[in-house]
Structure formats: C-alpha cells, structure tokens
C-alpha cells in the first residue's frame, strides 16, 4: 500500500475519548491514529459492541488499547472509572393539549428571525412538527426524499399533502441516492461508524436546505421513543437524549459545516416533560394511536384516522447488492492494512457470495458492521479530502 500516512480529518464535536488508565478525556485521537494507533484496532471488540447495541454502551469493550469512545448521551465517571449514561429524567407536570401547544410555541419562538427547515419524511413524528408550524403560522421549508415504490405509496401521498403546508417544499427521488453508494467518499472519521447507508441522501438534503438559506432544520428523531414506547410514569428512569434523539454524525459532518443547526423537536426538555406526563403509565403503542387521537385537531385526517409504516428493507437490500464491486475493493484494502482473516481472499469470497437479498436482520447488521470497518480504514488514508 506504500507509506501509511493518515491525513487528519476534522474534529467530531459530538464525541470524545478517555484514557481509561489515566482518566484523561481527549477531544480527539487524530495524533494517536497518525502515530499508528489504527494498527491496534480490535475488530472482535468492535463487533461485540455492535451486538451489545448502542443503548448499553457502558458495557462496550475498548476498540483501542486503554482508550474508550465517549459517544453522545454518555459521560465518563472519573470516580468510578466507567462510562455511564447521561440521562434526562422527565418532570411530571401539568399537561393538556393547551399546555403542550404553549410549550411547543415557546420552543419555536427561540428561532424567531431564522429560516426554518423540516425533514419532509412522511412519518407521523416529522409530520406533527410540520402541522404545529402551520398551526402557529410560522413559515418553513420542507424537503425530503420520496419513492415511487409500492411500499412507499402512502408515505408519498402524505409528503405531497404536507408539502402544501410549507412556504417552499421539494421532494427528491430516493432512487437517485442509492443506499450504500459511494462508501469510498465517506468523510474521514476516527472510529468506525455504522451510519453508512444513506450518506448520499443525507448529504443531498443538507445541501438543499443550505441552498434554501435555512438556519435551523428540525427532525422527528425521538418521536418513536416518546410516542410509541411505554411510559413508566413518575418512577421513570429517564431518556438518553444524546443517543436516542439526535443525529450526531449528520450534525458533525453535514449540517454544522454548512452553518445549519440540526435539531430534534422532541429533544427539548419541555416537550419531553409534556408528552411523558400526558402518556404517564401508557402501554406500548407502536401505531401511535394515542398521538393520532390526541393531536387530531392539528393533524390531517390521513394521519389522525389512519396508520401506516414505510419499509426501507427493499432499498437496503438492493443497495447492498448493487454495491458489491465497491465492497470488494474496500475489503481488500482493509485486509492489506489490518491483516485480519475476515478480510482475506477467503473471507471476501464468503462475504461476496452471501445472498445479500436474503439476509436475516442480525446477519444484515453484522455484515454492515464489517463493512463499516472497511469504510473507516479507507477514509483514514484517502488523500483527496
């Protein structure tokens, strides 16, 4: 591969690193990577961590000797020398439709004088944000990706309907931004990241919001947590806002560099307090029937009287299948750099012979974990940034 020279990437404000021996917290490890730390990356620990899942990062194993990643929603407890969740515990407050609307209006007034954008996804969570902005007569731009595929027929109808509520609305064909495309162009990053599926699509949306002059963009991230999961009432332990309600990768690499603030409406403490109080002791509600009924005065009947779910599995499987030639090159480079048998000729043959269109969910996740390692390695040494 020639001389291994890492070209330093930008700092990722959302993450930091801790030396678990000294307790020193560092904003980045680029210098360590340049000095060869990448050679000590532990693939087995990384795959184990992905199996454990993002919710229990306090159980993660170090992927570098004596260094752990501190991701959004977690903090280093120097006295216990452990990484633990940084939870927001909701307050039980007076809550009704009127109090919710009051808090929502106060939230939006923070951005008076700024041009607002909203992700036009067609899902209930972002749709509620759009309907609230319309209710308060706050101008906004709505931009999203749509599809003509059968499984997105209802979502597209909702997107077109809600687009009429915006001052400006644009929809772009998802087929023009294939899943898993251009993985060799992912921005340089310090540790592998599973956020590799929609790089093209996410980048396109961010650039379009910038072209429209948006200062802040709202997403519906966290809506599933608040509106669909069961609520434990006053004894509820809390929410990991940084981990569940935000888009740290998109903020660090896409929106912040464009001077745009990417926020989730549902991450605001006042909104969390209102919804958890309103749904106190409510059971799991995957179709969000409670929300559709509670906000029926604000939502169009297509959202208040009906429920649906878009299915991205087809796009994911097609994207994986079509990107196989790129995978092979990335896996070969990963083997040359790391020397791990998983990326050897035999390992690559096994991966490429896998019927990606028939993967079970857990196998699919493991495949994406392996792929994210190869994408990371390539990004470290790419010299065109």
């Amino acid at each position: 591969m020639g001389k291994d020279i890492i070209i330093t990437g930008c700092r990722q404000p959302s993450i930091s690193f801790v030396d678990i021996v000294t307790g020193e917290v560092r904003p980045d490890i680029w210098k360590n990577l340049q000095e060869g730390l990448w050679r000590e990356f532990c693939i087995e620990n990384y795959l184990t961590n992905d199996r454990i899942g993002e919710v229990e990062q306090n159980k993660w194993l170090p992927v570098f000797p004596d260094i752990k990643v501190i991701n959004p929603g977690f903090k280093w407890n120097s006295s216990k020398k452990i990484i633990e969740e940084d939870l927001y515990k909701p307050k039980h407050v007076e809550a009704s439709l009127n109090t919710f609307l009051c808090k929502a209006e106060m939230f939006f007034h923070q951005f008076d004088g700024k041009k607002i954008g909203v992700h036009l996804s067609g899902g209930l969570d972002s749709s509620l944000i759009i309907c609230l902005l319309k209710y308060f007569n706050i101008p906004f731009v709505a931009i999203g990706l749509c599809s003509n595929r059968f499984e997105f027929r209802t979502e597209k109808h909702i997107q077109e309907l809600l687009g009429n509520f915006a001052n400006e609305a644009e929809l772009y064909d998802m087929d023009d931004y294939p899943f898993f495309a251009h993985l060799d162009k992912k921005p340089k990053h310090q540790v592998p990241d599973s956020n590799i599926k929609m790089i093209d699509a996410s980048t396109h949306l961010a650039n379009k919001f910038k072209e429209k002059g948006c200062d802040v963009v709202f997403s519906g991230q966290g809506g599933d947590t608040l509106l669909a999961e069961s609520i434990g009432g006053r004894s509820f332990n809390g929410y990991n806002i940084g981990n569940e309600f935000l888009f740290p990768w998109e903020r660090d690499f896409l929106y912040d560099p464009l001077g745009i603030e990417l926020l989730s409406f549902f991450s605001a403490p006042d909104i969390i307090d209102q919804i958890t109080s309103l749904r106190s002791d409510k059971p799991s509600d995957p179709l969000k029937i409670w929300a559709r009924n509670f906000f029926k005065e604000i939502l169009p009947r297509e959202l208040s009287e009906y429920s649906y779910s878009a299915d991205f599995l087809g796009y994911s499987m097609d994207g994986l299948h079509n990107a196989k030639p790129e995978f092979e090159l990335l896996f070969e480079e990963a083997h040359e750099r790391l020397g791990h048998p998983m990326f050897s000729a035999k390992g690559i043959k096994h991966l490429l012979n896998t019927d990606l269109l028939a993967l079970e969910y857990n196998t699919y996740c493991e495949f994406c974990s392996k792929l994210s390692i190869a994408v990371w390695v390539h990004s470290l040494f790419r010299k065109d940034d």
Side-chain angles (χ1 to χ4, degrees), residues 254-268:
L254 301 181
Y255 286 86
D256 285 356
L258 294 175
I260 301 174
E261 190 174 6
L262 177 63
L263 287 175
S264 168
F265 168 77
F266 296 102
S267 70

Side-chain angles (χ1 to χ4, degrees), residues 76-93:
W76 173 248
N77 186 320
S78 56
S79 59
K80 296 181 180 179
K81 294 187 176 182
I82 59 171
I83 288 177
E84 58 187 18
E85 285 192 281
D86 186 8
L87 296 175
Y88 173 74
K89 187 168 185 177
K91 304 177 185 67
H92 194 82
V93 298

Side-chain angles (χ1 to χ4, degrees), residues 68-277:
K68 280 193 170 185
V69 185
I70 306 175
N71 283 309
F74 295 83
K75 59 186 178 182
W76 173 248
N77 186 320
S78 56
S79 59
K80 296 181 180 179
K81 294 187 176 182
I82 59 171
I83 288 177
E84 58 187 18
E85 285 192 281
D86 186 8
L87 296 175
Y88 173 74
K89 187 168 185 177
K91 304 177 185 67
H92 194 82
V93 298
E94 178 186 352
S96 64
L97 180 59
N98 286 337
T99 59
F100 176 88
L101 292 173
C102 179
K103 294 299 184 182
E105 188 171 22
M106 289 173 61
F107 171 83
F108 290 126
H109 275 320
Q110 298 176 81
F111 307 99
D112 286 350
K114 295 187 176 182
K115 191 166 185 179
I116 292 173
V118 185
H119 284 155
L120 182 54
S121 71
L124 178 66
D125 307 329
S126 59
S127 297
L128 177 59
I129 298 169
I130 288 172
C131 292
L132 286 168
L133 289 168
K134 176 179 180 290
Y135 180 84
F136 296 126
N137 293 313
I138 299 173
F140 65 96
V141 175
I143 301 177
L145 296 167
C146 65
S147 173
N148 292 315
R149 289 174 65 136
F150 176 79
E151 60 264 40
F152 288 89
R153 64 198 184 283
T154 304
E155 182 176 66
K156 185 178 181 182
H157 174 71
I158 298 297
Q159 287 175 302
E160 292 171 343
L161 174 68
L162 294 181
N164 294 324
F165 296 172
N167 294 69
E168 301 176 79
E170 292 183 356
L171 287 172
Y172 295 91
D173 194 331
M174 202 180 299
D175 287 332
D176 293 333
Y177 308 94
F179 285 13
F180 298 102
H182 301 121
L183 293 178
D184 59 332
K185 301 299 182 185
K186 180 167 182 175
K188 296 179 182 297
H189 45 295
Q190 299 166 89
V191 287
D193 191 296
S194 58
N195 190 1
I196 58 177
K197 182 166 67 175
M198 294 184 66
I199 298 173
D200 276 15
S202 299
T203 300
H204 177 75
L205 291 182
N207 289 334
K208 288 301 176 182
F209 280 118
K210 178 64 176 179
E211 287 179 15
K212 294 294 183 181
C214 293
D215 302 296
V216 59
V217 172
F218 296 132
S219 79
Q221 184 75 5
D224 284 343
T225 300
L226 291 180
L227 300 176
E229 295 183 5
S230 62
I231 302 293
R234 294 172 186 261
S235 62
F236 182 64
N237 290 327
Y239 289 114
N240 189 323
I241 294 177
N243 186 41
E244 295 181 69
F245 290 69
L246 303 178
F247 285 108
W249 192 90
E250 291 192 17
R251 292 175 73 170
D252 287 350
F253 290 105
L254 301 181
Y255 286 86
D256 285 356
L258 294 175
I260 301 174
E261 190 174 6
L262 177 63
L263 287 175
S264 168
F265 168 77
F266 296 102
S267 70
D270 280 347
I271 301 303
I272 294 175
D273 291 347
Q274 283 289 309
I275 295 178
T276 53
S277 296

